[in-house]
Amino acid sequence: MWCVPKLTPEFRKRMDDLLGLYTEPLPPGHEVHNFDETPKQLLSTPHGGRPPKPGHARRLDHEYKREGTRNIFVAVAPFRGTRTVAVSARRTTRDTADFLWDYCTIINAKAIHIHLVLDNLNTHMESALRKEFGEIKSAHFFSRVTLHFTPYHASWLNMAELEINCLKTQGLKQRIATERAMRTIVRTIVRERNNRCATISWGFTKTRAQEKFPTLYGTN
């Protein structure tokens, strides 16, 4: 696979951990959740365009104007079919901590324990979150949340990336001029997907990993 970096024991350890979460039964009340974020540039079209009509798609003038950038936090319970998405002006550690606190302790308060899959951004690290939460909130948060990190340079093992791709395909690839418009588009997509409990089917198992990386597992 072109997107796989140098294979190491640490790579295998982290990959096996995630594949176990995705494919093996968990204790009752334990849930798998995935988290990631993506930037989106706001672009307006100063000279407008033509609306769609029968036989013709909407047309926009090629010239655009940059209107800033927004961050989009995405968290998904892939096997339950629910997701929470938030648009923010920034992606600081404080922004990340606030989103994860609400997502894990309020929105998903009924879960006994959350296994949260993330990539390796510095704002995702447990030490960074503990610093933002403080001692009391950290104790509560990490008593019911376990962080699971993807191997370095292997964020494709995070199912939140699949959810982000769905958001882009269903509405975020187009030019969006304002944060308000972006929030409306995101809210519409998320509501539709949540209403039909759109789950994620994960097919990359430990068996397939052994076939794909025989040298990593000593099976060549």
Side-chain angles (χ1 to χ4, degrees):
M1 298 173 68
W2 66 268
C3 55
V4 175
K6 182 179 179 181
L7 299 177
T8 64
E10 178 66 16
F11 181 97
R12 174 181 169 177
K13 178 182 177 182
R14 290 193 178 197
M15 180 170 64
D16 284 350
D17 175 51
L18 298 186
L19 297 183
L21 279 179
Y22 295 166
T23 61
E24 297 172 5
L26 293 174
H30 285 233
E31 299 179 357
V32 175
H33 293 252
N34 297 70
F35 169 75
D36 203 354
E37 57 200 56
T38 186
K40 171 64 179 177
Q41 191 173 37
L42 297 175
L43 299 173
S44 63
T45 306
H47 302 295
R50 296 179 180 178
K53 62 181 181 179
H56 294 280
R58 182 180 65 157
R59 299 176 181 179
L60 293 177
D61 187 82
H62 73 279
E63 184 177 342
Y64 60 84
K65 179 182 177 183
R66 293 182 174 88
E67 304 289 356
T69 301
R70 294 297 181 270
N71 177 70
I72 303 174
F73 289 121
V74 178
V76 58
F79 305 127
R80 197 175 69 205
T82 61
R83 68 275 303 138
T84 299
V85 181
V87 177
S88 66
R90 305 173 302 169
R91 65 165 190 86
T92 65
T93 306
R94 168 51 60 186
D95 297 313
T96 302
D98 287 344
F99 177 88
L100 291 179
W101 175 268
D102 290 345
Y103 181 77
C104 293
T105 69
I106 300 175
I107 297 173
N108 290 284
K110 293 183 178 179
I112 293 176
H113 198 86
I114 290 175
H115 295 271
L116 186 65
V117 178
L118 319 89
D119 63 19
N120 296 276
L121 282 177
N122 61 328
T123 55
H124 299 173
M125 297 294 104
E126 180 174 339
S127 58
L129 295 176
R130 285 186 178 276
K131 183 177 180 180
E132 293 295 335
F133 288 148
E135 185 177 350
I136 295 176
K137 291 181 71 173
S138 291
H140 175 67
F141 185 85
F142 289 106
S143 69
R144 61 188 312 275
V145 178
T146 299
L147 305 183
H148 300 260
F149 292 96
T150 61
Y152 287 100
H153 309 295
S155 58
W156 55 273
L157 284 164
N158 186 351
M159 282 191 275
E161 286 208 345
L162 300 176
E163 191 65 32
I164 288 173
N165 286 336
C166 288
L167 288 170
K168 291 179 178 179
T169 300
Q170 295 182 25
L172 290 183
K173 281 187 176 181
Q174 63 183 312
R175 288 185 198 172
I176 303 174
T178 66
E179 180 178 322
R180 181 178 180 180
M182 182 182 294
R183 290 180 183 274
T184 299
I185 292 170
V186 166
R187 185 166 55 249
T188 300
I189 297 171
V190 169
R191 183 187 300 120
E192 187 277 331
R193 287 180 62 74
N194 281 343
N195 284 344
R196 60 185 176 90
C197 296
T199 58
I200 295 176
S201 179
W202 183 262
F204 191 69
T205 63
K206 287 185 179 180
T207 299
R208 290 192 62 186
Q210 292 170 3
E211 296 171 350
K212 196 71 180 179
F213 309 117
T215 57
L216 189 60
Y217 290 88
T219 57
N220 57 329

